[in-house]
Amino acid sequence: MPPGAGPFKGGFPAAPRGKSPAPRARGRGFPSAFRPPRPCHVMLPRQPARGGGRRAVARGGAAAGGGPWRGRSGAREASSLATAVAPGPRVSSMASAPTSKYNSHSLENESIKRTSRDGVNWDLSEAVPRLPGETRITDKEVIYICPFNGPIKGRVYITNYRLYLRSLETDSALILDVPLGVISRIEKMGGATSRGENSYGLDITCKDMRNLRFALKQEGHSRRDMFEILTRYAFPLAHSLPIFAFLNEEKFNVDGWTVYNPVEEYRRQGLPNHHWRITFINKCYELCDTYPALLVVPYRASDDDLRRVATFRSRNRIPFSGSDFPDHLACPWNVLSWIHPENKTVIVRCSQPLVGMSGKRNKDDEKYLDVIRETNRQISKLTIYDARPNVNAVANKATGGGYESDDAYHNAELFFLDIHNIHVMRESLKKVKDIVYPNVEESHWLSSLESTHWLEHIKLVLTGAIQVADRVSSGKSSVLVHCSDGWDRTAQLTSLAMLMLDSFYRSIEGFEILVQKEWISFGHKFASRIGHGDKNHADADRSPIFLQFIDCVWQMSKQFPTAFEFNERFLITILDHLYSCRFGTFLYNCESAREKQKVTERTVSLWSLINSNKDKFKNPFYTKEINRVLYPVASMRHLELWVNYYIRWNPRIKQQQPNPVEQRYVELLALRDEYIQRLEELQLASSAKLPDPSTSPAGPSQMMPHVRTHF
Amino acid sequence: MEHIRTTKVEQVKLLDRFSTSNKSLTGTLYLTATHLLFIDSHQKETWILHHHIALVEKLALTTSGCPLVIQCKNFRIVHFIVPRERDCHDIYNSLLQLSKQAKYEDLYAFSYNPKQNDSERLQGWQLIDLAEEYKRMGVPNSNWQLSDANREYKICETYPRELYVPRIASKPIIVGSSKFRSKGRFPVLSYYHQNKEAAICRCSQPLSGFSARCLEDEHLLQAISKANPVNRYMYVMDTRPKLNAMANRAAGKGYENEDNYSNIRFQFVGIENIHVMRSSLQKLLEVNGTKGLSVSDFYSGLESSGWLRHIKAVMDAAIFLAKAIMVENASVLVHCSDGWDRTSQVCSLGSLLLDSYYRTIKGFMVLIEKDWISFGHKFSERCGHLDGDPKEVSPVFTQFLECVWHLTEQFPQAFEFNEAFLLQIHEHIHSCQFGNFLGNCQKEREELKLKEKTYSLWPFLLDDQKKYLNPLYSSKSPKFAVLEPNTVSFNFKFWRNMYHQFDRTLHPRQSMFNIIMNMNEQNEQLENDIKDLESKIKQRKSKQTDGILTKELLHSVHPESPTLKTSLCFKEQTLLPVNHALRTIEGSNPADNRYSEYAEEYSKSEPGVVSLEYGVARMTC
C-alpha cells in the first residue's frame, strides 16, 4: 500500500472536545416530585471520575482540563476498557499510520506517554487510537442506542482490532472502544420495512457483560457492509483470516513470554528431589497432547509405568472403544502441581479414571497412586478430591468415566466437592447479566441475585480450594484433584489452593506464572471456552470458567487486602484481554497447539503489557510475607458480587477513582517515607556535629535498609 | 440482691453458635448484681450486662446438662449448658428478674460510678448545649425566634422547653395549632439552613379526621413558609405510607388537606411503622442466626425480612428532604403519626446529609441530643429499658444508625467517626449505664433528676475519641459539603459488624481500616521523633554557640540514638501483624471486653476457624 493512500487518509472530523458538557439535570434516584430548577452541582458534588488531584476541574462541571471524559457519567461506559488498554504505544498521527513504520515512532512515543498517563486520551489530530499493526477498515455514521442515556449520534470506526465510536453530539462526549474479540454475536435488528425510530440496525452481544445497539438509516441496505465487515473481523476464523494477535506489532521493553519457565518454577519449589523427577516423556506431545511437554512425576514411576497408566485415565491416546469422545487427548496422569516446602505433601492433578459401568480396575493406576502416597512417609492415606457432584461422577460411569472406588484404592479416601459443570456455570453467568445489564434489578435485587446461583458456585469453588489447601498445609495428606477432564474445575481448584498456600503466587509475576502454569500450560481450553475469533456463539463448549477463577481471586483479595501485590485493575485487565485477542497469551487450547502455531514467536504476551507498566497494577497495601497460608471465609456473609466488574458499564456505579482508602494509604506511605528521610538527615546532622565514631555511622545507615525492606 | 440465688456455677459449657461440630468452652459462670460473667479455662472473660438481655430461654434438658440461651439487645447470643438443672433454673429465674426492672431507679445508671466528682459530672452534662447548637445554625434571627410557650411543658409534655418557631407566629396560633396536632406536637424548627434560609420543621399528624381544619395550624404553616424569603411554597412530608395515613383519618387523625393549606406541597414517603420494623429485624436475625446458612437461604431470607428495603425507604426520605432544601430552597415540614420515630429518623438523616458538622464526632452527639433525645424519641419504651409493653419496643434508632453506617460506606471520607463509634452508641442506648437515653422525654428526665444521679455518655466517648476516629476523614474537602447518596439496590448490604459483632468467626481476618490506623499511628510517632531530634539539635546548637561542648552533652545525645532505633523497629513490627490485630477498640464500659478477645482469637485459631467455615459450607452444599 503506497504511503498515504489508505482509505483512511486524514480528514476525520475532529470530535468536539474541550467543551463543557451541559450540566444534565437528571433525577438521580430522587422522588419524582422534583424538577430541579437549577443546575445541581452544588447539591451534588460529583466524585471526580478519576484523578483526585483535579477536584477543582471536576467540580466546576467543565471538562476543560481533562478531555471530554472527565466528570461525565455516560463516559464511564468506555473508560474502563480504554484505560486498561492505555499503556500500549499508540500511533498518534493518522497520516503516518498506513506506512506501517512502527519501529520508528520514537517521536510519537513522546506524545503517547503524555496522553496515556492522562488516562484516556491522545492527540487532537487523531481520530481513532490505533495499535501498531492495526489497520482501519471503514467508518460510518450511526446512532448508538445507549441503554443509559438514550440514542446518541456518532461515527463508528472499525479496524481489524476494534470498534470505536465517537459521539457527534456536542453535549455528549461518549466514546466506545470495544476490541472486536469481545464480540460474541452480531444480529440484525428490524427489517427494511420495520417502523419506529431507530428500529433498524445491529445488535451486538459482547462477552464482557454488555450489549451494543446501533441504529442505521433504513435506505439502501446501509447496515449490510457494516454487518459484513464486523462479522469478518470479529470472527476471523470463519473467514480464514488471522486473529489480530498475529498482526499486532506492539513492542514492549519487557518480554512477557519469558515470565514462565517451567524448569525454573519447579526448581523454586525445590524440584526435582528424592521423590519427584522431571520427565520429558511428553516432549512431542505424543502421549497426551493437552499436557505440557515437561511434567513432574514420582521418582519411582518409570516412563513405562506412565505409559501404562495413561491408558486408564480419561481421554488417553488409545481410543476408548465405543466412546463418543472427540479425538482430543486429556490429562492421563497424576502430575505434580505443587509441593509443600516443609511437610512435602503435594497437590497432584489429573482427569477422571475410566472406570465405566463395569467398574473396571487398573492395577497400574492403583499402584501409581500408591507411589504418590509413598513419596511422603507420614501419610497413611491419599486424599482424592473429585470436584464434581457425586451424582455427576456416577453418571459419568455410563460414558466410561467414573471415580476411584474404595475397593480398588485402599489407601485413598475420596471426597466430592459438588462443583457443577461448565454448562451450569454458563447459564448462571447469563442470569447474572440479565439482572445487571442494562438495568440493575431494583425491587428484588437479593432474590434475583440468589436465583443466578453465581455466588453459590463461587462459594463451592472457594470451599473446595480451602479444603485442598488445608489438607496440604496441615500435612495431613497429599491431595489428588480431578474432575472429568481435569482442565476446568481442576485448574480452578489447584490454582486457588496454590494461591492460598504459596505467597509467591500472590505477587504480580507469581500470579502470571500461576496462570501460565496451571491454566495455560495444563491445557485449560481457552479457545473453546472463550471462542476466540469463532462465530458459534451458542457453542456448548463456551463457559466462563476462567472468569470464575478470577472472581474467586478477587473475593480473596477483598478478604486479605494486604496479601496481594496486584490490584483490581490487574484482574480486570486480564479479563479484558482474555477476550480482546490483542495478545497471544490465552489463544488456543493447549501447549501443543500453541507450539504448532508458534504463538510465542508471532504474538505479544499480555504479561509484556502488564510488566512494562507494573505500577498501575500494584496494590499499595501489599505487605510481602512468606509462609502465610490464606484461608478466606467462604461464607455467604462475605462473598459479594463483583460490582466493579459485572456492573461496570452502568454509569450509576460511581467508582471513586482513585479509591479513597487506597489514596489515603498512599499518602500515608509517602508521608512516612518523608519522615524517615527527615529522621535520617537529622540523625546525620546530629551525629556529624558529634565527632564520636561509635554512634554516628551506626545510626541511620544501619537502620535505614532495615526499615525500607517493607516498601 | 434478693433475686440472686446462685452466684457461681462451675463446669458450664459455652457453645459456639456457628460451629457445626458443637465446639464448646468450659468455664465458670458468675452472677453479679449487674452482669453475668463467664470465665473459661483460658481465663477469657465474657461479660453480659443484665440490661442487655432481651430474652432468656431454658431449653429441654439434654444428657450433658440444661441448655440456657440468652439473646441480647446488642445482638449477642450465647448458649450455655449448665450441668445441673437446679442451677440452671436459679440462674434463669434470676436473669428474668434482673433483666426486666420495674423502676428507673433500679437501672444500672443509678448505681454506676465512674469515679467522677459532682462538678465533673455536671460538666459532662453540659458538654452538649442545644442553645449553642441553634446559635450555630443561625437562630434566633429575623425570621425565627425562641418561643417560651412550652417553658413549663404546658403545651406539649414530650417536647423540650425551648422551641424555635417563626417570629410571626404568635402564641395563640401556637396554642391553637398544638390543639390540632396529635399529643400537642405542633410544628417547630428542627434544623435551619443558613445559606438557603430554609428550615426543616417537625410535628405530629394533624387531627383532621375526614374534614376538620384548624385556622391556627394553617397560619402556623403559612408562617413557616413565609419565614423562608426565597421560596413561597413548602413541602409537607408525611413519612407514613398513604394507606396508614388514610386509616388514621378514621380515628380523627390523618394528614393535611392541600386545599386548606395555601402554598404547601404534600408528599407521602412510605416508611413503615414501628411494628413492621420490629418484626422485620426479628426475621433478619432469625435468618442470620441459622447455622450453616446456604446461599439461597441467606439472600431470600434477607430479602423477605424486608430490612434493607426499610433502610432504603428511610434513606430515600432523607434524600428527598435534603434535595428540597438544596435544590428548591424550600422549607420542609416532616411528620409521621406522633412525630417521634420516623420523623426523628428523617429529620436527623436529612440534617446529616446537609450539614457536615453533624458528621463530626461532637456534631453527631449534638444531632442525637437534638433530634432524638430532646424531641422525645421514646428511648426507654423503644429499647425496653423497663419491664413494659413489648409492642412499644422497636429498632427505630438502630435503623437510624444503620442508615448512617450505609452513608459512611458510600462516603468513606465524609465522616470524622468510624463504625466503632456507631456500635458503641448502639451498645449504650440499651446498656442503661448512662443517663442520656433513660426516660421517654425531657420532662420525664428532669423528674428523674438524671443530671444529678447519673452520668452523661458523651464525655466518656470523647475521652476515647482516638478509637472512634476515621482515618480517611477529610474535613475540608468541598465535595462532601452535601452528601448525595446513591440508593441503587446493590449498595445496600447486610451490616455484619452490627448484627454479628460478637460472632468472631464471621469476621474477615484483615481490615483495611486497621492497616490505615496503624500507619497513622506510626507516622505520628515518626513525627514525634523528628520533633524530638529537632529540639535536641536546636538545644545543642545553642549550647555550641555558647561554646560549651561538654561531656554532659554527649551523654544527653548518646542514649537517644538507640531509643530512636528501637522505636523504628517497633513500628515495623506494628505494621507487619496487621493480620492479627483486629479492631482494638474497647467500650467505655469496663466490662466490655469483646474487642480484646479478637486479637487473641485471631492470633492462634485460624485453622480452627477454617475447618469450621468449610464445615458450614459442606453442610449446605
Side-chain angles (χ1 to χ4, degrees):
Chain A
M1 186 182 291
F8 38 85
K9 188 173 92 186
F12 294 115
R17 56 179 70 229
K19 281 185 192 166
S20 63
R24 251 185 219 197
R26 267 177 191 277
R28 302 168 58 82
F30 284 91
S32 57
F34 281 108
R35 293 163 299 262
R38 60 178 70 183
C40 49
H41 64 269
V42 185
M43 161 69 188
L44 318 166
R46 270 183 204 291
Q47 316 298 336
R50 45 189 61 243
R54 301 210 182 184
R55 268 173 216 149
V57 177
R59 238 174 69 77
W69 290 34
R70 213 172 281 280
R72 291 279 311 158
S73 60
R76 268 231 53 76
E77 180 146 319
S79 66
S80 182
L81 243 185
T83 45
V85 172
R90 284 200 168 110
V91 180
S92 57
S93 136
M94 292 306 298
S96 72
T99 56
S100 303
K101 288 180 183 162
Y102 296 112
N103 298 332
S104 58
H105 56 257
S106 60
L107 222 172
E108 288 153 13
N109 259 335
E110 282 301 310
S111 74
I112 290 151
K113 269 178 200 152
R114 180 162 46 75
T115 52
S116 61
R117 197 175 303 134
D118 201 48
V120 278
N121 261 307
W122 41 85
D123 283 344
L124 266 170
S125 60
E126 193 184 347
V128 183
R130 281 205 284 139
L131 301 168
E134 187 178 350
T135 49
R136 279 237 6 262
I137 312 296
T138 185
D139 66 81
K140 197 174 195 75
E141 205 166 289
V142 297
I143 290 165
Y144 168 56
I145 304 170
C146 174
F148 311 110
N149 296 325
I152 293 167
K153 211 162 133 196
R155 178 165 286 273
V156 68
Y157 303 87
I158 298 169
T159 72
N160 55 355
Y161 171 64
R162 79 182 87 212
L163 179 154
Y164 186 87
L165 177 120
R166 188 198 297 283
S167 158
L168 293 175
E169 282 171 35
T170 44
D171 67 334
S172 162
L174 181 113
I175 285 175
L176 272 183
D177 187 356
V178 187
L180 297 179
V182 156
I183 295 175
S184 104
R185 176 182 199 183
I186 308 168
E187 282 172 293
K188 293 176 181 162
M189 60 173 188
T193 55
S194 59
R195 280 185 219 162
E197 213 183 341
N198 301 331
S199 60
Y200 175 85
L202 296 177
D203 188 348
I204 297 172
T205 309
C206 297
K207 296 169 183 171
D208 60 354
M209 311 289 289
R210 58 177 161 170
N211 278 35
L212 306 171
R213 293 183 131 201
F214 300 104
L216 291 110
K217 287 194 203 84
Q218 251 151 321
E219 305 89 60
H221 304 290
S222 64
R223 72 179 167 195
R224 188 193 282 158
D225 58 331
M226 183 167 162
F227 177 81
E228 272 166 13
I229 286 169
L230 274 179
T231 312
R232 206 170 146 83
Y233 288 95
F235 312 126
L237 293 191
H239 300 85
S240 20
L241 285 169
I243 286 177
F244 179 75
F246 292 102
L247 305 170
N248 188 0
E249 294 173 34
E250 282 178 277
K251 296 270 186 293
F252 293 96
N253 48 18
V254 182
D255 182 7
W257 292 122
T258 59
V259 165
Y260 176 58
N261 176 337
V263 175
E264 255 171 49
E265 166 56 16
Y266 287 119
R267 193 177 295 146
R268 188 191 65 84
Q269 294 186 19
L271 297 167
N273 63 15
H274 291 312
H275 296 290
W276 296 90
R277 66 187 176 95
I278 290 175
T279 173
F280 291 93
I281 184 175
N282 200 32
K283 190 170 54 189
C284 306
Y285 309 103
E286 299 163 313
L287 272 182
C288 171
D289 70 352
T290 59
Y291 258 180
L294 187 151
L295 295 163
V296 175
V297 294
Y299 201 83
R300 285 181 47 208
S302 69
D303 283 0
D304 285 341
D305 291 338
L306 293 176
R307 286 196 183 89
R308 281 199 297 275
V309 171
T311 60
F312 188 58
R313 289 279 162 179
S314 166
R315 304 204 176 173
N316 56 51
R317 59 191 288 264
I318 298 153
F320 187 75
S321 57
S323 86
D324 52 0
F325 292 146
D327 50 356
H328 280 284
L329 310 182
C331 320
W333 320 284
N334 317 302
V335 294
L336 181 135
S337 273
W338 192 77
I339 182 161
H340 194 286
E342 271 140 36
N343 65 31
K344 301 293 175 203
T345 50
V346 296
I347 300 177
V348 291
R349 57 184 287 175
C350 63
S351 58
Q352 65 182 341
L354 298 178
V355 176
M357 294 297 263
S358 53
K360 231 185 299 165
R361 291 177 56 167
N362 181 314
K363 279 274 177 274
D364 293 311
D365 193 64
E366 288 159 27
K367 201 180 110 203
Y368 183 70
L369 251 60
D370 222 37
V371 167
I372 288 176
R373 183 184 62 80
E374 280 168 3
T375 59
N376 190 325
R377 294 258 165 72
Q378 287 98 36
I379 297 170
S380 58
K381 281 209 168 190
L382 180 75
T383 307
I384 301 173
Y385 284 111
D386 188 327
R388 301 166 292 181
N390 195 341
V391 196
N392 297 21
V394 174
N396 257 294
K397 282 187 174 179
T399 49
Y403 53 89
E404 295 82 355
S405 66
D406 286 343
D407 328 332
Y409 299 84
H410 298 293
N411 294 323
E413 44 184 350
L414 175 76
F415 299 100
F416 293 101
L417 294 178
D418 287 337
I419 302 170
H420 286 277
N421 63 24
I422 60 166
H423 312 294
V424 175
M425 302 307 179
R426 182 180 57 237
E427 295 313 310
S428 171
L429 186 68
K430 242 183 222 161
K431 285 185 198 149
V432 173
K433 184 173 173 181
D434 287 344
I435 65 163
V436 301
Y437 192 91
N439 296 312
V440 178
E441 165 69 40
E442 280 288 346
S443 53
H444 297 286
W445 167 248
L446 293 168
S447 52
S448 316
L449 183 60
E450 179 233 305
S451 69
T452 68
H453 299 293
W454 182 254
L455 288 175
E456 198 173 338
H457 298 312
I458 296 278
K459 175 182 167 162
L460 286 170
V461 173
L462 271 175
T463 307
I466 292 169
Q467 293 185 62
V468 173
D470 188 43
R471 278 276 150 170
V472 171
S473 92
S474 63
K476 276 185 206 132
S477 72
S478 288
V479 170
L480 166 70
V481 183
H482 72 73
C483 47
S484 297
D485 292 318
W487 49 44
D488 293 311
R489 287 165 276 199
T490 304
Q492 287 178 332
L493 290 169
T494 55
S495 54
L496 283 171
M498 286 156 76
L499 204 59
M500 290 169 195
L501 290 163
D502 193 336
S503 60
F504 170 75
Y505 296 123
R506 294 173 221 145
S507 64
I508 288 182
E509 288 208 8
F511 190 76
E512 290 165 0
I513 287 172
L514 182 71
V515 170
Q516 202 74 44
K517 175 174 181 296
E518 287 303 302
W519 290 86
I520 299 172
S521 85
F522 274 107
H524 172 68
K525 304 203 293 173
F526 280 103
S528 310
R529 296 287 174 260
I530 308 300
H532 293 129
D534 178 69
K535 68 176 192 317
N536 302 315
H537 60 86
D539 190 341
D541 258 353
R542 292 200 187 173
S543 188
I545 300 299
F546 188 73
L547 165 65
Q548 200 169 44
F549 159 70
I550 295 287
D551 194 333
C552 291
V553 175
W554 178 82
Q555 304 278 359
M556 280 173 74
S557 74
K558 285 289 275 188
Q559 291 188 31
F560 300 97
T562 63
F564 295 87
E565 190 189 1
F566 47 83
N567 57 18
E568 187 178 59
R569 172 187 264 187
F570 175 76
L571 298 177
I572 292 182
T573 304
I574 289 177
L575 289 177
D576 281 342
H577 293 297
L578 172 67
Y579 308 119
S580 77
C581 293
R582 176 170 153 195
F583 301 101
T585 305
F586 296 114
L587 297 184
Y588 300 104
N589 280 334
C590 54
E591 203 176 281
S592 61
R594 259 169 238 126
E595 206 147 284
K596 211 181 283 165
Q597 298 294 335
K598 300 198 170 61
V599 167
T600 53
E601 293 157 43
R602 294 168 57 206
T603 70
V604 182
S605 164
L606 167 60
W607 317 130
S608 306
L609 170 85
I610 286 172
N611 293 354
S612 59
N613 200 351
K614 261 190 188 169
D615 282 345
K616 259 177 75 176
F617 303 104
K618 273 190 177 153
N619 166 17
F621 296 101
Y622 179 56
T623 323
K624 196 170 178 179
E625 3 172 44
I626 319 279
N627 293 338
R628 179 168 161 229
V629 182
L630 301 186
Y631 291 111
V633 184
S635 144
M636 271 334 292
R637 297 176 180 91
H638 286 268
L639 303 182
E640 344 175 354
L641 186 75
W642 188 6
V643 166
N644 285 353
Y645 181 76
Y646 298 110
I647 319 187
R648 62 179 161 156
W649 310 121
N650 191 321
R652 276 189 86 187
I653 72 150
K654 268 189 276 179
Q655 273 172 316
Q656 295 193 3
Q657 286 288 354
N659 174 333
V661 183
E662 250 174 55
Q663 199 186 2
R664 178 85 185 117
Y665 192 74
V666 171
E667 280 167 22
L668 286 174
L669 272 177
L671 202 63
R672 189 173 115 141
D673 273 350
E674 203 184 298
Y675 283 158
I676 289 176
Q677 206 184 344
R678 273 297 290 292
L679 261 181
E680 192 176 2
E681 282 164 12
L682 284 173
Q683 279 203 329
L684 274 172
S686 90
S687 53
K689 291 211 185 78
L690 211 83
D692 189 320
S694 66
T695 50
S696 52
S701 54
Q702 263 184 5
M703 188 178 65
M704 284 310 131
H706 188 45
V707 174
R708 303 245 172 209
T709 47
H710 286 285
F711 302 134
Chain B
M1 289 292 286
E2 72 271 27
H3 302 308
I4 300 177
R5 241 167 287 160
T6 312
T7 53
K8 182 179 172 190
V9 186
E10 285 177 16
Q11 292 296 312
V12 173
K13 276 191 199 141
L14 174 63
L15 295 187
D16 188 318
R17 183 177 163 207
F18 290 101
S19 154
T20 40
S21 53
N22 284 336
K23 233 180 23 170
S24 68
L25 293 163
T26 308
T28 311
L29 196 63
Y30 299 89
L31 195 58
T32 75
T34 54
H35 289 86
L36 182 71
L37 168 62
F38 178 79
I39 302 180
D40 67 23
S41 48
H42 307 294
Q43 298 306 314
K44 213 183 72 187
E45 300 170 1
T46 307
W47 291 80
I48 296 169
L49 188 64
H50 296 328
H51 297 314
H52 270 148
I53 296 175
L55 192 72
V56 202
E57 268 180 297
K58 221 172 60 163
L59 305 183
L61 196 66
T62 67
T63 47
S64 52
C66 189
L68 187 70
V69 179
I70 300 173
Q71 280 183 38
C72 297
K73 292 169 184 169
N74 55 4
F75 309 115
R76 185 201 281 272
I77 295 181
V78 282
H79 195 143
F80 290 116
I81 292 185
V82 185
R84 280 176 32 195
E85 198 189 359
R86 240 197 66 206
D87 291 334
C88 185
H89 191 72
D90 283 350
I91 289 177
Y92 172 74
N93 280 334
S94 303
L95 287 180
L96 273 190
Q97 300 289 331
L98 292 166
S99 64
K100 293 271 180 228
Q101 300 291 0
K103 297 199 306 281
Y104 281 113
E105 283 76 11
D106 292 333
L107 294 177
Y108 186 30
F110 289 89
S111 59
Y112 175 63
N113 183 2
K115 299 190 182 71
Q116 277 191 347
N117 60 34
D118 284 354
S119 74
E120 280 173 317
R121 181 209 304 252
L122 194 66
Q123 262 180 2
W125 280 111
Q126 284 163 349
L127 184 73
I128 307 290
D129 180 359
L130 288 186
E132 199 56 43
E133 166 59 11
Y134 284 103
K135 216 179 277 169
R136 188 194 67 85
M137 290 180 207
V139 286
N141 58 21
S142 57
N143 290 319
W144 293 89
Q145 65 173 3
L146 179 64
S147 159
D148 59 359
N150 202 37
R151 184 134 298 165
E152 306 299 324
Y153 297 115
K154 275 196 185 126
I155 296 183
C156 174
E157 292 200 336
T158 56
Y159 266 174
R161 288 173 190 272
E162 292 177 347
L163 294 168
Y164 291 82
V165 294
R167 203 169 273 278
I168 55 169
S170 65
K171 199 163 175 184
I173 287 184
I174 291 173
V175 173
S177 165
S178 78
K179 293 203 168 115
F180 187 63
R181 293 277 167 181
S182 172
K183 307 265 186 340
R185 294 171 67 94
F186 62 96
V188 294
L189 182 79
S190 161
Y191 176 75
Y192 179 74
H193 197 286
Q194 220 165 348
N195 289 346
K196 299 275 173 187
E197 297 181 84
I200 301 177
C201 295
R202 54 185 293 168
C203 61
S204 61
Q205 63 184 338
L207 304 174
S208 54
F210 289 102
S211 59
R213 55 188 289 190
C214 166
L215 286 179
E216 288 95 337
D217 193 60
E218 288 161 26
H219 276 280
L220 186 54
L221 259 67
Q222 187 109 49
I224 291 173
S225 62
K226 276 192 184 148
N228 179 343
V230 188
N231 208 328
R232 286 185 305 102
Y233 61 86
M234 69 183 282
Y235 279 98
V236 175
M237 273 173 82
D238 190 328
T239 54
R240 298 168 294 182
K242 189 169 181 187
L243 206 66
N244 300 18
M246 304 264 271
N248 262 301
R249 283 167 70 176
K253 298 163 188 171
Y255 53 94
E256 289 82 357
N257 184 343
E258 257 180 302
D259 301 337
N260 296 342
Y261 296 83
S262 49
N263 297 336
I264 70 160
R265 293 190 182 174
F266 189 82
Q267 180 81 32
F268 287 111
V269 291
I271 303 172
E272 299 287 349
N273 65 25
I274 57 167
H275 311 294
V276 175
M277 300 306 184
R278 181 179 53 242
S279 59
S280 169
L281 181 63
Q282 196 54 44
K283 269 185 222 150
L284 181 83
L285 296 177
E286 271 166 29
V287 168
N288 286 291
T290 323
K291 258 189 211 177
L293 191 62
S294 76
V295 181
S296 53
D297 291 348
F298 181 71
Y299 280 118
S300 51
L302 205 56
E303 182 159 298
S304 68
S305 79
W307 182 253
L308 292 177
R309 204 176 62 236
H310 298 315
I311 297 285
K312 180 172 149 61
V314 175
M315 200 86 106
D316 277 333
I319 293 169
F320 181 96
L321 174 65
K323 209 174 176 194
I325 289 189
M326 282 319 288
V327 179
E328 296 185 59
N329 259 11
S331 292
V332 186
L333 175 67
V334 184
H335 72 74
C336 47
S337 295
D338 290 320
W340 50 43
D341 293 313
R342 289 167 270 197
T343 303
S344 294
Q345 288 179 328
V346 174
C347 289
S348 53
L349 266 182
S351 318
L352 193 77
L353 294 179
L354 290 167
D355 194 333
S356 60
Y357 172 67
Y358 296 128
R359 291 174 231 137
T360 62
I361 288 188
K362 179 89 183 287
F364 194 64
M365 295 171 178
V366 169
L367 186 67
I368 292 174
E369 279 285 344
K370 174 169 75 74
D371 271 320
W372 292 87
I373 297 175
S374 88
F375 278 112
H377 173 69
K378 305 201 286 176
F379 274 105
S380 272
E381 291 203 342
R382 295 289 177 263
C383 302
H385 289 158
L386 297 177
D387 195 10
D389 184 358
K391 285 241 163 68
E392 285 291 322
V393 176
S394 185
V396 175
F397 189 75
T398 306
Q399 220 164 27
F400 163 69
L401 290 179
E402 180 160 340
C403 289
V404 177
W405 174 74
H406 273 107
L407 289 174
T408 62
E409 288 284 288
Q410 269 195 49
F411 303 96
Q413 293 155 288
F415 290 82
E416 191 191 6
F417 50 83
N418 58 29
E419 190 179 39
F421 184 62
L422 299 175
L423 293 179
Q424 196 63 36
I425 291 175
H426 183 260
E427 184 89 3
H428 285 298
I429 60 167
H430 294 110
S431 74
C432 302
Q433 187 178 358
F434 297 96
N436 306 61
F437 303 107
L438 301 187
N440 291 316
C441 59
Q442 292 297 59
K443 185 168 177 251
E444 199 177 359
R445 288 186 191 105
E446 284 172 20
E447 285 162 8
L448 286 170
K449 297 201 168 50
L450 289 176
K451 292 197 179 178
E452 290 148 51
K453 294 182 176 165
T454 69
Y455 295 86
S456 167
L457 166 68
W458 308 127
F460 292 90
L461 291 185
L462 272 186
D463 282 349
D464 277 343
Q465 216 186 104
K466 243 184 143 183
K467 292 172 196 161
Y468 307 125
L469 284 177
N470 169 16
L472 302 175
Y473 180 50
S474 64
S475 53
K476 286 172 197 81
S477 173
K479 57 177 177 172
F480 302 123
V482 175
L483 301 185
E484 185 234 347
N486 186 345
T487 56
V488 66
S489 51
F490 52 79
N491 273 347
F492 289 92
K493 288 174 191 150
F494 174 67
W495 190 5
R496 194 176 52 222
N497 285 347
M498 170 67 97
Y499 303 105
H500 285 308
Q501 54 183 314
F502 297 96
D503 304 309
R504 291 186 301 275
T505 50
L506 299 180
H507 289 284
R509 314 266 189 270
Q510 219 178 30
S511 101
M512 203 84 103
F513 170 76
N514 245 22
I515 297 165
I516 293 207
M517 288 288 256
N518 281 341
M519 194 67 160
N520 244 348
E521 260 167 50
Q522 287 167 34
N523 278 354
E524 269 165 36
Q525 221 164 14
L526 277 172
E527 219 170 334
N528 289 340
D529 285 352
I530 287 180
K531 274 188 200 137
D532 262 19
L533 253 173
E534 271 176 339
S535 68
K536 289 246 165 85
I537 286 178
K538 211 183 264 172
Q539 232 181 344
R540 206 170 38 195
K541 264 187 190 160
S542 62
K543 277 188 190 171
Q544 267 177 339
T545 49
D546 292 349
I548 318 160
L549 185 65
T550 57
K551 273 188 183 170
E552 182 210 342
L553 171 78
L554 281 173
H555 279 285
S556 75
V557 180
H558 269 248
E560 194 219 342
S561 297
T563 53
L564 209 135
K565 221 187 282 177
T566 50
S567 73
L568 270 173
C569 294
F570 158 72
K571 273 169 238 144
E572 261 190 77
Q573 280 165 356
T574 55
L575 180 68
L576 267 182
V578 277
N579 44 320
H580 302 310
L582 248 272
R583 300 189 294 175
T584 46
I585 17 173
E586 260 162 69
S588 57
N589 185 341
D592 182 6
N593 60 339
R594 59 196 159 127
Y595 296 116
S596 48
E597 291 166 15
Y598 283 154
E600 244 179 279
E601 270 298 297
Y602 279 93
S603 51
K604 21 180 210 220
S605 65
E606 239 184 57
V609 170
V610 165
S611 47
L612 164 99
E613 264 307 320
Y614 71 68
V616 171
R618 202 188 302 171
M619 273 276 299
T620 59
C621 292

